[in-house]
Amino acid sequence: MEQIVKRGGTRDYDRKILASLFYDASTLTRFSFESAMSRLGGKVLTAENASTFFSVSPDDALEDTIQVVDDFCDVIVLRHNEIGGAERAAKVCTVPLINAGDGKGGQHPTQALLDLYTIHKETNKLDGLKVALVGNLAEGRTVRSLSYLLSKFERVKLYFVSPESLQMNQDILDHLVEHNTWYTMETDLHKVLPEVDVVYTTQIERSRFNGSDAEFDSFRKNYFIDKGSIQLMNRDSIILSPLPRFTEISRDIDNDPRAAYFRQTQDGMNLRMALLAWVLECQ
Ligand code: CP
């Protein structure tokens, strides 16, 4: 797909239609999927604020919507505002349905796939990786999906770095134990930075933090990556982020070669092109 994008895209899927249904805000995922489909030559139907603008019936609105929309397209990309929304939708959908993130603390599987792709491209390894997952781990769907994927590899070590009130949930920790994946829970980011190959930072939004303003300021300072803290990292380690960022990464480090988050965004579109082509071929 990287080669196809360099050549200006393809017309191979010009008879195919993607319906992009977003019930929750998105910048990267929606544009990334819609750009991916356009570069494959396909067409896009889009609802960027489906909760507000779709006419819905009071009961089982999501299921009804999916059963209508799937007649108009060949693949659906769905971001739903409730955990399990994508699973509910997939049960009634007659075309492939891709989960583009469900609820706070649900899953975001295509983000995890692209994260894994960037990690492999940048570090040339997956087995034996040491990865710090940082921020609001209790509600972050990206870190949850990435933990699942990383548990499929050998000798991976996961460092969950967050305040105690926002720690990774027990269901993921149980999954890691079942799959013999080593993990530790830390509150001190600076202690972990020298140890890891990948630092994966996630959004720290005031609106998602239940504590006082003082607690939030302390949280933000403790998990902020800037010119000082990046010095603690190994020279060949990388920083990733699902973006958009709020206050967790200083713009001052964007030109450091270890700041890989904008390369990760480009990888995401290529990966989503591959994923769309694959599901369309499987039909
Ligand atoms: N990475 C990600 O999910 O970003 P959006 O919320 O902007 O789609």
Side-chain angles (χ1 to χ4, degrees):
M1 292 304 168
E2 286 173 7
Q3 297 307 317
I4 287 173
V5 171
K6 279 187 194 144
R7 291 200 302 268
T10 173
R11 309 301 317 161
D12 284 357
Y13 296 89
D14 62 351
R15 289 166 186 260
K16 300 292 184 183
I17 298 175
L18 160 73
S20 161
L21 301 188
F22 279 69
Y23 286 77
D24 215 355
S26 167
T27 309
L28 280 97
T29 312
R30 188 169 71 86
F31 271 20
S32 170
F33 266 114
E34 294 182 4
S35 175
M37 190 63 177
S38 301
R39 287 177 193 276
L40 290 170
K43 295 169 187 68
V44 177
L45 307 174
T46 185
E48 66 170 291
N49 196 349
S51 306
T52 307
F53 294 117
F54 266 30
S55 51
V56 291
S57 60
D59 298 313
D60 293 334
L62 175 64
E63 281 83 351
D64 285 1
T65 300
I66 295 297
Q67 286 180 91
V68 170
V69 173
D70 66 5
D71 288 338
F72 305 146
C73 65
D74 302 289
V75 57
I76 294 177
V77 171
L78 173 70
R79 170 164 295 179
H80 201 254
N81 46 337
E82 290 169 14
I83 294 176
E87 193 175 4
R88 276 172 55 204
K91 284 189 177 140
V92 297
C93 191
T94 56
V95 297
L97 185 140
I98 298 174
N99 181 2
D102 61 333
K104 280 184 193 171
Q107 294 290 336
H108 197 346
T110 68
Q111 177 70 46
L113 271 179
L114 77 89
D115 296 337
L116 206 65
Y117 179 59
T118 299
I119 290 171
H120 187 252
K121 228 172 119 176
E122 299 271 340
T123 67
N124 206 26
K125 68 175 175 181
L126 288 173
D127 291 334
L129 265 179
K130 294 181 191 169
V131 181
L133 299 160
V134 186
N136 182 351
L137 306 181
E139 294 184 330
R141 54 196 171 208
T142 60
V143 283
R144 292 170 54 77
S145 291
L146 186 55
S147 300
Y148 274 132
L149 275 195
L150 287 169
S151 73
K152 295 184 178 299
F153 298 90
E154 303 292 327
R155 293 172 282 102
V156 165
K157 290 188 166 185
L158 299 182
Y159 299 71
F160 294 117
V161 187
S162 71
E164 280 174 16
S165 59
L166 298 175
Q167 278 174 351
M168 180 55 85
N169 289 331
Q170 194 60 41
D171 62 326
I172 296 291
L173 303 181
D174 290 344
H175 177 88
L176 297 176
V177 170
E178 262 174 50
H179 291 79
N180 299 317
T181 303
W182 185 96
Y183 73 84
T184 183
M185 290 155 95
E186 300 283 352
T187 53
D188 183 352
L189 176 62
H190 288 184
K191 183 176 143 200
V192 170
L193 287 177
E195 307 228 354
V196 296
D197 306 300
V198 179
V199 179
Y200 191 95
T201 64
T202 59
Q203 296 170 354
I204 301 173
E205 284 175 84
R206 181 66 184 96
S207 58
R208 292 193 175 194
F209 190 79
N210 290 329
S212 66
D213 285 349
E215 281 171 322
F216 180 67
D217 271 350
S218 151
F219 172 40
R220 211 176 47 177
K221 279 188 200 121
N222 287 342
Y223 300 101
F224 187 54
I225 301 189
D226 60 7
K227 277 191 166 168
S229 48
I230 202 172
Q231 299 309 325
L232 298 171
M233 292 176 57
N234 298 318
R235 289 168 73 87
D236 53 0
S237 57
I238 56 168
I239 302 168
L240 297 182
S241 160
L243 297 176
R245 67 178 145 193
F246 285 84
T247 55
E248 63 277 11
I249 306 172
S250 166
R251 287 195 164 73
D252 292 348
I253 63 159
D254 285 354
N255 292 328
D256 189 294
R258 289 168 289 189
Y261 28 89
F262 293 121
R263 300 193 290 278
Q264 180 188 3
T265 308
Q266 179 64 41
D267 289 339
M269 192 202 60
N270 295 328
L271 181 127
R272 286 174 172 134
M273 285 174 72
L275 186 61
L276 287 171
W278 181 63
V279 297
L280 291 167
E281 292 296 333
C282 287
Q283 272 182 295

